[in-house]
Amino acid sequence: KYKVLAILVVIVYFFQPFFFSYGGIGADSLSYFGIAADLPNPETNLFPLGYPVLLRLVFTMVEDYFWASRILNLLFIVVILGFSYYKKFYFRETVLLFTGKTCFFVLVQAMSEGPFTFFLYFLFYFLHQVFSEKKNVYSHAICASVMLVCMFLSRYSGVYIFVSVLVFLLFMFFKLRSQFYFKPFLLFVTLSGFGIGAYLLFNYLHFGSFTGENLRGEAAKGLPI
């Protein structure tokens, strides 16, 4: 029954945007499309380049950014569900996650939360392997670091995931260091920090700011945002 539900999820997620008055395309979507259109010479770092790069890659095949976003979201869903089923990695729970409103909201629209959620899922998988398997732990740690960097390349808020990992390492250091996964986990943290730092440096050297902070305007009245 979960295999049938997974198929229904794919169908509903793909066709639902056609019943929206706005087609799943919001203001941020247009910004992503604009950045993608400027590649390989981006003019702003208001948003990271990860999602626009993916859009541009698919755009070269379909020559339409709406369809590029739809195809990407479809791929994210199919790959996650297919991987979960093939690897027997919490398939039932994964399918049920897609029946919730959070994944539905994210993956029926052209927004960077789509690839962010995609990479987050595989971050969970590789960290799960690091903590539970005693083989290939270093390769899993490297893959986990790639997933975390890709999350940051999709949304700058990925840095908070990295910060949470650092806090976890700090508070659990003495308990972790006697475990078989301590060195692989330390490798994961180091590589993730290096990748995120390298992209921030690129932004600063190329655009003059780390995350487009000089483009975001003044704080709203009554809010420190």
Side-chain angles (χ1 to χ4, degrees):
K1 60 184 178 180
Y2 289 102
K3 288 186 286 186
V4 173
L5 183 57
I7 294 172
L8 290 175
V9 162
V10 173
I11 294 173
V12 170
Y13 273 54
F14 180 75
F15 285 104
Q16 181 62 41
F18 298 108
F19 296 93
F20 292 151
S21 61
Y22 62 98
I25 306 298
D28 285 354
S29 306
L30 300 180
S31 295
Y32 294 124
F33 296 166
I35 295 173
D38 290 336
L39 293 175
N41 299 303
E43 298 180 0
T44 176
N45 64 335
L46 185 62
F47 297 106
L49 293 176
Y51 187 42
V53 167
L54 294 176
L55 286 169
R56 186 58 181 266
L57 289 174
V58 180
F59 175 82
T60 58
M61 295 181 286
V62 297
E63 297 187 350
D64 185 285
Y65 282 112
F66 169 79
W67 281 107
S69 65
R70 299 303 321 132
I71 291 171
L72 277 176
N73 282 358
L74 182 65
L75 286 175
F76 294 149
I77 300 165
V78 171
V79 170
I80 288 177
L81 291 173
F83 179 88
S84 176
Y85 177 76
Y86 177 75
K87 287 289 189 178
K88 296 180 173 58
F89 183 69
Y90 301 102
F91 177 67
R92 179 180 63 180
E93 291 81 0
T94 300
V95 174
L96 291 176
L97 277 176
F98 278 99
T99 64
K101 63 180 181 180
T102 300
C103 284
F104 180 79
F105 175 77
V106 165
L107 289 166
V108 297
Q109 304 189 73
M111 53 201 308
S112 60
E113 284 87 343
F116 187 88
T117 303
F118 176 79
F119 294 123
L120 177 63
Y121 182 85
F122 285 96
L123 174 66
F124 285 151
Y125 170 76
F126 288 117
L127 285 181
H128 177 276
Q129 298 305 100
V130 168
F131 285 108
S132 63
E133 300 284 341
K134 291 189 177 181
K135 56 183 180 180
N136 300 322
V137 286
Y138 286 100
S139 60
H140 288 140
I142 293 173
C143 290
S145 66
V146 172
M147 293 301 105
L148 183 49
V149 172
C150 286
M151 288 174 63
F152 181 75
L153 292 178
S154 301
R155 292 182 61 80
Y156 289 130
S157 56
V159 73
Y160 296 115
I161 306 294
F162 177 69
V163 170
S164 69
V165 170
L166 289 179
V167 172
F168 170 74
L169 179 63
L170 177 65
F171 279 94
M172 300 294 292
F173 179 81
F174 293 104
K175 291 185 178 181
L176 291 176
R177 65 178 183 176
S178 61
Q179 302 295 326
F180 71 90
Y181 49 72
F182 175 69
K183 290 183 178 179
F185 185 73
L186 197 60
L187 176 65
F188 156 69
V189 174
T190 302
L191 292 179
S192 299
F194 178 79
I196 292 173
Y199 187 75
L200 289 173
L201 179 62
F202 162 77
N203 268 356
Y204 185 77
L205 294 177
H206 190 76
F207 298 104
S209 64
F210 292 108
T211 59
E213 58 270 14
N214 56 338
L215 302 174
R216 300 181 188 276
E218 297 180 356
K221 291 183 178 179
L223 293 173
I225 300 175

